[in-house]
Amino acid sequence: MTDTTSRPSGSDTDIKGPGYRVWFDAPSRTIHFEGVLRLSTSEYKPIEDMLDRVLLESPALGLRMTELAFLNSSGINMLYKFAIAARKKGDTEIKVHGSSTIPWQGKSLPNLKKFLPPIVIALD
């Protein structure tokens, strides 16, 4: 039996690992991030793939971060790369929902505008 405690599990629209979940809600066109993400760069690949796939399929997209307590620098870089890919695609409206009570979100999420100026950042 293969040990899956450190690897994400689930479908390509529902990625789960120890202490986190990232899932796509198709009706609302929203990717939800929950828990604590402290992965290595290569471990973010399934999440990157989901972001890229949904970006290609969607004229509008939401990222809900309100339940994501922590995202390490590798995860923040993944979001910045996503913003650059969205800018290159050019025709997708993206809204990021975050929480002003989570310190990393107040610092890092507004920086997405540097890579994708039309992105909407809403900190509750």
Side-chain angles (χ1 to χ4, degrees):
M1 183 169 179
T2 304
D3 178 20
T4 60
T5 56
S6 63
R7 282 186 269 139
S9 64
S11 72
D12 60 352
T13 58
D14 191 359
I15 300 166
K16 299 176 188 175
Y20 73 89
R21 180 180 180 207
V22 180
W23 55 282
F24 177 58
D25 178 56
S28 68
R29 308 303 301 167
T30 301
I31 298 175
H32 297 261
F33 293 78
E34 301 172 354
V36 173
L37 277 165
R38 290 189 173 130
L39 307 176
S40 69
T41 301
S42 62
E43 291 174 310
Y44 279 104
K45 180 78 169 113
I47 299 170
E48 286 179 38
D49 291 345
M50 178 194 299
L51 287 167
D52 290 343
R53 186 180 60 260
V54 172
L55 177 63
L56 290 174
E57 297 170 354
S58 302
L61 173 62
L63 303 178
R64 180 157 293 280
M65 306 274 180
T66 55
E67 299 298 318
L68 187 62
F70 182 80
L71 185 66
N72 66 2
S73 60
S74 295
I76 292 167
N77 285 334
M78 172 195 64
L79 289 179
Y80 293 165
K81 288 180 194 176
F82 171 75
I84 291 167
R87 183 183 70 213
K88 288 179 181 176
K89 182 179 180 230
D91 63 350
T92 303
E93 295 177 23
I94 299 174
K95 184 170 185 179
V96 179
H97 301 270
S99 174
S100 59
T101 63
I102 301 174
W104 76 266
Q105 293 187 17
K107 289 181 177 183
S108 299
L109 292 180
N111 288 334
L112 288 166
K113 283 194 161 290
K114 293 178 182 178
F115 303 101
L116 184 64
I119 196 169
V120 176
I121 310 291
L123 297 177
D124 303 334

